[in-house]
Amino acid sequence: MVQELLSKNLYLCQEIMGHAQISVKKDHFFLSGFTWMASRSLSCSHIDGVKKLKGLRYRNLSSQIVGKFSQNTQDISQDFELPFAYETAMEALSTLITQKKRNGTSAVNGQNQKLDRMLRYIKILGLEEKIAGLKIIHVAGTKGKGSTCAFCEAILRECGFRTGLFTSPHLIDVRERYRLDGMDICQENFLQYFWDCWNQLKANISEDLPMPPLFQFLTVLAFKIFVSEKVDVAIIEVGLGGKLDSTNVIKEPIVCGITSLGMDHMETLGDTLGQIASHKAGILKPQIPGFSVPQLSEAMEVLQERANELMIPLEVVAPLTLEKLNGTRLSLSGDHQLSNAALAVSLCKSWLRGTGNWKRLFEDAYEEDGLPEQFLRGLSAARLSGRAQIVVDPLINASGGNKRVSGDLTFYLDGAHSPESTYACARWFSAAAVERKDLSLSSVSPGVETTETAWTKGYIKHCHNKEPDEILKRILLFNCMDARDPQILLPKLVDTCASSGIYFSKAIFVPSISVHTKVTSATSTIPSYVPGKDLSWQFNIQRIWERIIHGKDVLDQDLKINASAGLPPREFLYKEASRYCPEDRYFASSAVFPSLPLTINWLRDCVRENPSLRLQVLVTGSLHLVGDVLKLLRR
């Protein structure tokens, strides 16, 4: 009862104040799909975005700082309230975005020069020798590297070490990329390290050494933070590729890991699995232990060849079994996480041995197959937003006495954007959606009888005629970047779900809120609607979807009809998707919505007006779309 009340108070704080760093005890609270974690010690005592701390001083900020970051900053001191100072830092970061397109090739053009510049930036900041003192776990891969890093961080934190975690991309706020002891770095400390790096680099730029592009700066900042915070272990996720990635200035990590490899970022890494594996294998180092999950033969041959060149063993780690987990449930969902968790276990064991901590902690008691209790706790506590994450909309899940006043709206979020990750996402959603079907409205509404139900594609309808029908609709909310191929992703998603008997009632295609040309924060303004926004890409995705559903192409003139229709009426949700009627002025199986905020509000209105309606919304195709949804739900 006490924990329930505390959980409610914590959740209320979050709703009112935003993301609060609250220390209670070392416990975990799961509230409406959001995970609350209390840290051993917090690096800040403020509540982000709410407590306006006046008098914070950041040296060397220009008095006209917004929009002036291409100029030299002046050597003056000035007071800024925290929210303004943080938004100012986001404006500064945005000036470092050099790519015209999010997946442009400029990020890996002249890669050797890029790594040379990274070393020069590190030297300017005086970090060269200090980085060598960091005890690093370095992880590359196509799929699962973020999850593997999150598992590593949680395991070693449970073992009593001060942890630093650097991952990408962020979903809501850039500070997510930097975790200290399991918590995102707070705004005060972020700003201190940010401006220290910014001003030192700005003072030393020249024609042959410009300010670093965005990811290079963020990587340098990660090293600055972890060195300054004196972490015991730094877990570093590769950004793109490996061999020529900005993180590969790490010369002597304690251990390296490579997660599952697949066809992604082919415009920069190559169009064969072997070429991609060659980039990933670039993080392996002489005399440094290397680990990999099982790979397809084309990839494994390349990894093994590189390991042989370096004369190091490359251990291939089999997925964890339920028996080995001894009843522990992984905190990250999906069967594929058994492989990521197994790699994390091997990386952590190797790190503990390499740093002389294994025998001190465990005295070889778990040398063979057993997992220490600290490992099991870490595997059950790791968190990573936007990957197989379920969030119940907190504004909708309400009741009025014994009578439910609205339906149910649940979001299933997974940023899958490659064929392999889409397959894993579909398998996870198929299992999770069925697992939660028993959490019916009748369980909270005594007036609805739990009679036998008849399942059809995309919804349930009670066979009892005396009580209101309970309706379940599964909806796909999708967008992907134009560098992806929806003609591959969508059929993979539909076919995998269908093989488990899961079908979508509707598909909604929306533009993302986030843009590649600007770094925003959790408190940045979100417009509900941007007039004149180009939706041609979303209509193209819809055309592909309709071809999948109907088995034939839909004419462009039909798309123009849809474009002029605006938001469909809420009756659209209940329309049979088996055929398209031009007189309806919209497709019965799909729709393009002009903005994500309008989409969320439309879904909320649907369940508000029908207490019998349950919506299961799968959000996938892009981590940026997932992050935008999380940002809106958090508000």
Side-chain angles (χ1 to χ4, degrees), residues 320-624:
L320 286 179
T321 62
L322 297 178
E323 180 182 5
K324 195 166 185 178
L325 287 170
N326 194 28
T328 298
R329 183 169 182 172
L330 298 180
S331 58
L332 304 181
S333 302
D335 293 342
H336 57 289
Q337 296 294 358
L338 292 170
S339 182
N340 297 328
L343 179 59
V345 166
S346 294
L347 292 173
C348 288
K349 284 184 175 181
S350 181
W351 185 90
L352 288 166
R353 294 187 183 109
T355 56
N357 285 293
W358 178 264
K359 289 187 177 181
R360 179 180 66 82
L361 288 174
F362 305 117
E363 298 179 349
D364 294 335
Y366 300 94
E367 194 68 32
E368 295 300 327
D369 294 327
L371 291 180
E373 181 64 28
Q374 293 93 323
F375 279 53
L376 294 174
R377 288 202 305 267
L379 293 173
S380 66
R383 61 184 178 90
L384 192 65
S385 294
R387 284 78 162 180
Q389 182 180 8
I390 301 174
V391 177
V392 177
D393 190 338
L395 296 185
I396 291 301
N397 200 23
S399 299
N402 291 330
K403 184 178 180 181
R404 191 172 182 89
V405 296
S406 74
D408 180 78
L409 179 56
T410 304
F411 292 90
Y412 297 75
L413 303 122
D414 192 280
H417 51 266
S418 69
E420 296 85 0
S421 59
T422 298
Y423 172 75
C425 168
R427 290 195 61 187
W428 161 72
F429 176 69
S430 298
V434 172
E435 181 180 337
R436 289 179 64 87
K437 74 180 176 65
D438 293 329
L439 302 178
S440 63
L441 298 183
S442 56
S443 66
V444 294
S445 302
V448 180
E449 294 200 13
T450 56
T451 56
E452 183 180 357
T453 58
W455 283 81
T456 59
K457 290 185 179 181
Y459 66 94
I460 351 173
K461 185 176 181 180
H462 278 280
C463 298
H464 198 293
N465 294 324
K466 293 183 179 180
E467 300 293 342
D469 291 340
E470 180 179 331
I471 304 170
L472 171 66
K473 297 285 186 179
R474 295 189 174 111
I475 297 173
L476 174 64
L477 183 57
F478 185 91
N479 191 38
C480 65
M481 292 187 291
D482 56 11
R484 313 296 179 190
D485 190 351
Q487 298 187 79
I488 296 176
L489 300 182
L490 287 176
K492 177 77 71 175
L493 179 68
V494 171
D495 292 345
T496 305
C497 287
S499 67
S500 299
I502 300 297
Y503 301 89
F504 294 99
S505 302
K506 308 292 173 184
I508 296 175
F509 305 104
V510 294
S512 297
I513 298 171
S514 58
V515 293
H516 73 278
T517 56
K518 184 172 177 59
V519 180
T520 59
S521 74
T523 57
S524 297
T525 302
I526 299 176
S528 295
Y529 174 63
V530 179
K533 190 173 183 66
D534 183 9
L535 300 175
S536 57
W537 176 244
Q538 283 69 42
F539 284 120
N540 179 58
I541 300 174
Q542 184 188 32
R543 184 187 297 110
I544 295 168
W545 177 263
E546 292 295 329
R547 186 187 307 145
I548 294 171
I549 299 301
H550 300 292
K552 60 182 180 181
D553 288 326
V554 178
L555 298 178
D556 285 348
Q557 63 184 23
D558 291 333
L559 291 176
K560 293 176 183 177
I561 289 175
N562 184 279
S564 64
L567 294 180
R570 288 194 278 278
E571 288 75 21
F572 158 75
L573 191 62
Y574 305 96
K575 196 82 173 180
E576 288 292 337
S578 58
R579 62 192 181 91
Y580 165 62
C581 300
E583 63 270 17
D584 291 337
R585 295 187 63 79
Y586 57 83
F587 295 102
S589 59
S590 66
V592 171
F593 279 49
S595 80
L596 185 58
L598 290 177
T599 305
I600 301 296
N601 288 336
W602 186 87
L603 292 169
R604 285 171 168 165
D605 288 341
C606 288
V607 296
R608 282 183 180 124
E609 74 175 14
N610 187 349
S612 298
L613 182 61
R614 295 176 59 213
L615 296 185
Q616 294 180 329
V617 183
L618 174 62
V619 184
T620 191
S622 166
L623 276 169
H624 303 285

Side-chain angles (χ1 to χ4, degrees), residues 112-152:
N112 292 324
Q113 183 186 38
K114 181 178 76 172
L115 289 180
D116 175 67
R117 285 180 174 176
M118 278 292 296
L119 291 172
R120 293 173 68 183
Y121 296 138
I122 288 168
K123 189 172 183 179
I124 288 171
L125 296 174
L127 296 174
E128 200 167 15
E129 294 182 0
K130 295 175 181 178
I131 290 175
L134 287 175
K135 296 177 173 60
I136 293 172
I137 297 175
H138 200 191
V139 181
T142 304
K143 301 176 301 173
K145 58 182 184 289
S147 299
T148 299
C149 288
F151 279 129
C152 286

